[in-house]
Amino acid sequence: MHMTFATQIQLNPYPWFLDLELVRSLRYQIQLPTSARTIRKMAEAINHQEVHDLLVKVAQKSGDMIANAQPHVNTTGSKKNSADLVTETDKAVEKYVIGALKERFPDFEFLGEETYVPGMKLTDKPTFICDPIDGTTNFVHAFPNVCISLALCVYKSPVVGVVYNPYTTHMYSAIKNQGSFLTMPVRTDNPHSPTVPIAPRKIRLPRKSYPEPLTGLQNALVAIEWGSDRSGRNFDIKHRTFTKLAGSTENGGAMVHSLRSMGSAALNFCHVAAGQLDIYWEGGCWAWDVAAGWLILTEAGGIVVDGNPGGWTPAVDGRRYLAVRAAPSGQKELVEEFWNCIDGNMDYSA
């Protein structure tokens, strides 16, 4: 009969820690936390470039799986409701990613969308974070704004990030303190390569070497997402805020240039990093949606603050985000102007 730790202690007539056989058996019953010293050693031993190169290869292979799949709307499963979709490709890609990363880094933790179970937390230990298909709704409709998002976090902060759209073959990547880049296909007029009219080019982000100052919401292109929760307090806050952002100044609105809802949090972060969007407001997504894009944005000079007013230092797994592009001036002022448009505080603690 198998006995629990507590039962075995009660049956022992002397201190349990003197029973070597019991101590040996407990190692299989108790998962001890990784010590701070061990985590520090693991972090110091990481070769960020090696991890980056591995994530790029894994993203490309995963991208082939995504691009070659044939999803169908009518055979797609759902998690919470008809807007929260999952496909067999999501699961297959994450299974491949876990195998590829664990083979090289077996001691690192893994946090993925399709293998997540309630209660799992991001810890200080080196952790790979994966969204196998960010933009699943786009994927099942063959709308080509889809990506795989891969990041390595240490001490709950991203240090390597890769976001790859297999349909456009745009690869966004970053290593902490080394900048962020977009590798994309461009037409080449190289007379020495007449048979290769298109070749990949690596471009430092943001796309503009000298970004313009941010001059307020009236001059901003803003990304928002509806999310899969379409009722309740958080949805009401979003709906009211969207209306205020788009509304005319005569009616108390911000009259932004326009709102964009493109279905991928990771790619939204990357578009802000590239300077193609000025700001992105999000509530309800998860660490796997934003970890890689967060690093790509901040390495490009952008900032991430809380999606609720007043929070200047949000957590990667905080589920509320406001991302702002790089600019020589105006970031803080734009954040505060945006916060003034938010009608209430979103709460995703449940």
Side-chain angles (χ1 to χ4, degrees), residues 5-24:
F5 179 26
T7 302
Q8 293 180 66
I9 291 175
Q10 291 172 1
L11 294 177
N12 269 284
Y14 52 88
W16 65 270
F17 51 81
L18 298 180
D19 187 335
L20 295 180
E21 289 302 318
L22 176 57
V23 171
R24 291 190 185 99

Side-chain angles (χ1 to χ4, degrees), residues 134 222-229 234 238 241-242 245 260-266 268-269 279-286 289-290 304-308 314 318-323 338 342 346 348:
D134 188 39
V222 180
I224 51 95
E225 294 295 342
W226 293 93
S228 57
D229 292 317
N234 291 330
K238 284 187 175 183
T241 304
F242 295 166
L245 289 169
R260 294 286 182 267
S261 182
M262 296 180 289
S264 167
N268 285 343
F269 265 84
I279 193 165
Y280 168 43
W281 183 53
E282 180 60 87
C285 59
W286 299 80
D289 297 302
V290 305
V304 184
V305 300
D306 200 318
N308 277 346
R319 304 198 64 195
R320 304 183 309 261
Y321 315 95
L322 184 63
F338 195 102
I342 301 174
M346 298 179 290
Y348 293 95

Side-chain angles (χ1 to χ4, degrees), residues 145-166:
N145 199 64
V146 174
C147 69
I148 175 171
S149 175
L150 298 170
L152 174 65
C153 284
V154 181
Y155 295 111
K156 304 177 186 177
S157 179
V159 295
V160 182
V162 168
V163 174
Y164 179 58
N165 182 336

Side-chain angles (χ1 to χ4, degrees), residues 121-139:
K121 300 290 185 182
L122 180 61
T123 69
D124 287 342
K125 192 174 178 181
T127 303
F128 286 115
I129 301 184
C130 168
D131 190 342
I133 301 180
D134 188 39
T136 301
T137 300
N138 289 343
F139 174 60

Side-chain angles (χ1 to χ4, degrees), residues 293-316:
W294 179 307
L295 181 66
I296 291 165
L297 171 62
T298 54
E299 285 296 308
I303 61 172
V304 184
V305 300
D306 200 318
N308 277 346
W312 290 98
T313 55
V316 170

Side-chain angles (χ1 to χ4, degrees), residues 252-267:
M255 192 67 182
V256 299
H257 272 178
S258 191
L259 299 177
R260 294 286 182 267
S261 182
M262 296 180 289
S264 167
L267 286 174

